[in-house]
Amino acid sequence: MDGQERRDFLKAFFGTLGAGALGGCSLGEAAKKEDVPYAQPSLMPSEFRKLDRVGGELRITKVETFLVKPRWLFLKIHTDAGIVGLGEPITEGRHLTCRAAVEEIAPYLIGKDPRRVVHHWQAIYRHAFYRGGPILTSALSGIDQALWDIKGKALGVPVYELLGGPTRDRIRVYAHAGKPELLKEKKALGFTAFKCNPTKPRPARFIESPGFVSKVAEAFARLREAAGPDCDLAIDFHGAISAALAKVLIKAIEPSLPMFVEEPINCQETDVMAEIARSTHLPIATGERIFTKWGFREILEKKAAVVLQPDLCHAGGITEVRLIAGMAEAFYATIAPHNPLGPISLASGVQIAASIPNFLCQEQVSLGEGYLKTPFTLSQGYLDLPTGPGLGVELDDSKMADKLDHEWKNREEYDADDHSVMVW
């Protein structure tokens, strides 16, 4: 056919397709319709018709939060199909503020289709005008987790399947252990990776004595001896050390070969952290107090750390951490999701770990005993790849009945001699 005939054919073909696909209305008319359904069954191949079991339509009906001991905030997002999504939106020590932030976002969510996860992330983040910060991104993180949980449950697949499928068959996790005896106990449970804080006689001052430095190094060496040469042992300075002292301490612990050195200084001092990273062969880690892809961009560009630790409850949830992991891969950096929180946070981190190629190790403090109907199980330092839909976990409300409400507060640290404020 000649050029004119081809144009006439294509015009007629796409005109017919548009009328059928849009129910007889034009593209312009469809764009004007409010709350266009997420997916029209007529447009979906038969093998992807599982959404039909929820009637094609799915709406959020209620947003519910509840405080959970020891210091957590859990979220349930309810839908009109009976599917409930779980999330963990928490800013430690500011749980009431974070809870209020979720309640302020709730009116936006009610009546919406929860499956438009990225759309809702953008709307919640960008319509806030004052963007970012620990409270907003923590609230958004928990909501994002719950929306992914709903989407996975509606489709009957784990979240990692929606992110491209598994990149590994099991997920390595690490435990906290600050004393040799505790480390040996956890090693006997099956853990092969651990993290500790530096054992020090008191909060560190800006510049410290040789005796202080020796005690930190010797305590870490004892932990390394308890772990043995085939286990990994990381150390977390918690951003509480000055740059001048951090360089000295890192040099002192180098012989014990930590898996990584976490937050040797305040994470906001990106240029100084990059300088420290260049001064040692040990991997530098940071990320628990960095929010969104924009926060991690500077860390990567300045090569301030090679181990990134985005927290699924703070950095922007599953949606954002998947993007952060992609950015890190481009800079040959690895991901070790931060998680000193609860089992929903762990479940979210596991979904990320299962779906990215540059995963290192997942932090955990609870495998869900006393909170989940089926807690995670550990074998040789790993968790099995979850197979349940969504996040793959269910809360056990009966077991949690005695764990509701808490008044947890951040610690206060003061210098023992002059009582000035110290960082814990």
Side-chain angles (χ1 to χ4, degrees):
M1 64 177 65
D2 60 23
Q4 184 60 46
E5 290 176 329
R6 185 181 295 107
R7 285 192 293 273
D8 292 342
F9 170 78
L10 291 174
K11 182 177 180 181
F13 174 79
F14 285 112
T16 303
L17 177 63
L22 298 173
C25 65
S26 70
L27 184 60
E29 290 170 338
K32 293 177 184 178
K33 286 182 176 289
E34 295 184 2
D35 209 6
V36 176
Y38 167 80
Q40 294 283 359
S42 61
L43 294 178
M44 301 174 68
S46 59
E47 62 268 27
F48 297 117
R49 295 288 296 277
K50 289 185 178 180
L51 284 174
D52 285 355
R53 66 182 178 177
V54 292
E57 298 283 338
L58 188 59
R59 303 294 172 189
I60 295 171
T61 57
K62 185 170 71 170
V63 176
E64 180 184 15
T65 60
F66 44 106
L67 300 172
V68 180
K69 291 181 177 64
R71 59 174 186 169
W72 306 332
L73 177 65
F74 288 176
L75 166 69
K76 289 183 179 180
I77 294 183
H78 299 260
T79 68
D80 57 3
I83 299 174
V84 179
L86 301 177
E88 198 167 333
I90 180 64
T91 310
E92 296 93 306
R94 296 291 183 268
H95 47 274
L96 297 180
T97 311
C98 192
R99 186 181 206 175
V102 174
E103 292 171 354
E104 288 178 336
I105 296 168
Y108 161 79
L109 292 168
I110 300 300
K112 298 289 198 310
D113 188 325
R115 293 167 294 186
R116 302 184 66 183
V117 182
V118 176
H119 175 80
H120 297 320
W121 196 103
Q122 290 289 327
I124 293 168
Y125 185 84
R126 293 165 65 187
H127 290 166
F129 189 74
Y130 295 102
R131 301 176 184 178
I135 300 299
L136 175 60
T137 52
S138 296
L140 174 55
S141 294
I143 291 169
D144 182 81
Q145 294 167 10
L147 296 181
W148 277 110
D149 192 28
I150 292 170
K151 190 178 184 75
K153 288 173 178 174
L155 290 166
V157 296
V159 169
Y160 64 76
E161 291 287 2
L162 304 177
L163 300 177
T167 57
R168 63 199 74 248
D169 296 328
R170 54 183 187 162
I171 310 300
R172 195 180 189 202
V173 293
Y174 68 83
H176 291 192
K179 295 182 179 180
E181 300 77 16
L182 179 59
L183 191 150
K184 290 178 181 178
E185 289 177 12
K186 294 194 174 184
K187 187 176 178 181
L189 294 174
F191 288 100
T192 61
F194 309 89
K195 187 171 77 176
C196 67
N197 297 115
T199 303
K200 50 189 188 291
R202 51 177 167 71
R205 295 166 182 165
F206 191 88
I207 297 174
E208 274 297 352
S209 65
F212 182 98
V213 174
S214 295
K215 288 177 181 176
V216 171
E218 290 166 4
F220 188 72
R222 287 193 293 272
L223 283 168
R224 163 53 71 196
E225 183 180 2
D230 297 322
C231 286
D232 288 307
L233 177 63
I235 187 168
D236 181 6
F237 287 178
H238 218 236
I241 308 295
S242 71
L245 180 58
K247 292 179 181 179
V248 176
L249 289 175
I250 290 172
K251 191 69 176 177
I253 65 173
E254 279 181 351
S256 296
L257 288 177
M259 178 167 61
F260 55 75
V261 178
E262 181 175 341
E263 283 202 342
I265 59 170
N266 186 327
C267 64
Q268 294 175 331
E269 299 179 65
T270 309
D271 290 317
V272 181
M273 192 177 292
E275 178 187 339
I276 291 173
R278 289 192 295 270
S279 71
T280 179
H281 60 268
L282 298 179
I284 301 300
T286 190
E288 68 179 277
R289 291 181 285 183
I290 306 295
F291 314 113
T292 75
K293 65 180 86 66
W294 295 287
F296 280 92
R297 181 183 64 181
E298 184 181 13
I299 300 291
L300 290 166
E301 288 176 342
K302 294 182 176 179
K303 295 180 170 57
V306 71
V307 179
L308 299 192
Q309 301 170 295
D311 192 305
L312 273 292
C313 296
H314 302 318
I318 292 170
T319 295
E320 196 71 350
V321 173
R322 183 63 186 87
L323 297 176
I324 292 166
M327 291 169 56
E329 184 185 3
F331 283 85
Y332 303 98
T334 189
I335 300 292
H338 181 262
N339 173 37
L341 297 167
I344 302 173
S345 174
L346 175 59
S348 300
V350 165
Q351 296 294 327
I352 283 289
S355 65
I356 62 174
N358 53 332
F359 167 72
L360 178 66
C361 203
Q362 170 68 54
E363 182 176 16
Q364 63 76 47
V365 295
S366 168
L367 295 178
E369 298 93 340
Y371 299 91
L372 301 180
K373 289 183 178 179
T374 305
F376 291 93
T377 55
L378 181 74
S379 176
Q380 299 178 319
Y382 289 82
L383 306 181
D384 290 335
L385 196 67
T387 57
L391 296 180
V393 295
E394 290 184 79
L395 294 179
D396 191 323
D397 293 329
S398 62
K399 290 181 181 178
M400 288 174 48
D402 62 346
K403 300 179 181 67
L404 298 179
D405 294 325
H406 67 80
E407 297 180 355
W408 189 88
K409 292 180 173 60
N410 286 302
R411 291 209 313 263
E412 296 180 14
E413 292 273 13
Y414 301 94
D415 185 274
D417 296 327
D418 67 6
H419 307 295
S420 58
V421 174
M422 306 295 285
V423 179
W424 65 275

